[in-house]
Amino acid sequence: MVLSLLVLGNAWGIISTLFGMNSLLGWGRRAFICTTSKNTGSQIQPSQWMQLHTGVNANPGTIQLCADKATAGQRWWYSLGQFPGMITVLTVVLLTYLVLRHAERFGLYSPGIATRLRVLGWFLLVESVLGPTITVSANRKLWNTMANGGSEIQWLPGWSALFAGLALLSLARIMRVGTEMREDLEGVV
C-alpha cells in the first residue's frame, strides 16, 4: 500500500509539474529553489564577504539563500541535492515490499529472505555515506551559483541509515543461519 501511494504521489507530481500546477525536484513554474547553511553551532550573519547575486535573498541566523528566478543550472543542482533522499525512500519501500512478499509466498526461513535483507542492508550502508556526499556537494554548488563566498554547508553521515543497514546485515546473517538449520532439520526428518 505504501509503495502504491509513493508511486501514485510521484506520478501526480510529474503530471502536475508538466501542467504548471506543482514543482518536482526544483522543476516547474512554482519551483522554490533554496539552499540553507546547516552549521552546527554558530549563527552566520550576512557580511561584506558575501555578495549576493541578483534575485537572491538572505535570511539571518542560519543563512537560507533563495533564487527568485532560478536558472537551469540552479534547478539542476537543487534537483541533484534532493534526488538521493527521494531514491532512498523509493528503494527502501520497494525492497521492504519484496522481502514481505517473498516471506508471504515461501515462508520466513527461505533462502531469498536473507539475500533480500542483505541487499537492503548494503543499500542503506552505501546510502548513509553516498547520499549525504551527493547532497552536500550539490548544495555547495547551488550556494556558489547564488553568492560569492564560502558556504557553511557541512557533511554529516546518515547515522540512522548506517545503523539500520548494520542491523539488517546482522538480521540477514541470522536468517541465513536459521534457514540452513531448517534445511538440515528437514533433511534429517
Side-chain angles (χ1 to χ4, degrees):
M1 186 170 115
V2 173
L3 181 62
S4 300
L5 289 174
L6 281 173
V7 169
L8 288 174
N10 284 324
W12 171 252
I14 292 169
I15 292 169
S16 62
T17 299
L18 291 175
F19 290 108
M21 298 181 298
N22 198 1
S23 69
L24 183 67
L25 292 174
W27 297 95
R29 261 194 278 171
R30 298 180 185 195
F32 190 64
I33 307 295
C34 289
T35 185
T36 305
S37 65
K38 295 183 174 109
N39 57 352
T40 56
S42 63
Q43 290 198 346
I44 302 170
Q45 299 294 329
S47 63
Q48 299 284 338
W49 63 267
M50 183 185 301
Q51 301 166 356
L52 299 179
H53 294 186
T54 306
V56 174
N57 304 318
N59 299 321
T62 59
I63 295 178
Q64 181 178 27
L65 302 178
C66 298
D68 294 334
K69 293 181 181 173
T71 64
Q74 289 170 333
R75 291 176 191 269
W76 163 254
W77 291 119
Y78 180 80
S79 297
L80 188 60
Q82 301 296 313
F83 194 66
M86 187 173 124
I87 290 300
T88 299
V89 169
L90 288 173
T91 303
V92 167
V93 169
L94 176 65
L95 289 175
T96 303
Y97 170 76
L98 292 175
V99 167
L100 294 175
R101 188 78 170 156
H102 189 83
E104 179 185 8
R105 287 185 179 167
F106 302 107
L108 189 59
Y109 289 102
S110 62
I113 295 290
T115 303
R116 285 169 174 78
L117 287 175
R118 191 175 314 114
V119 168
L120 183 56
W122 278 111
F123 172 78
L124 287 174
L125 280 176
V126 169
E127 191 280 330
S128 70
V129 174
L130 193 58
T133 302
I134 292 170
T135 300
V136 166
S137 297
N139 283 335
R140 284 181 180 165
K141 294 287 188 176
L142 178 59
W143 182 284
N144 290 334
T145 66
M146 294 184 182
N148 295 333
S151 67
E152 293 292 325
I153 301 171
Q154 296 180 353
W155 182 86
L156 294 171
W159 292 110
S160 57
L162 179 72
F163 290 126
L166 290 172
L168 284 170
L169 288 174
S170 298
L171 182 62
R173 179 162 164 57
I174 291 168
M175 295 302 290
R176 185 178 53 82
V177 169
T179 301
E180 290 172 357
M181 289 173 58
R182 180 176 177 225
E183 289 172 351
D184 287 346
L185 183 63
E186 286 176 356
V188 169
V189 174

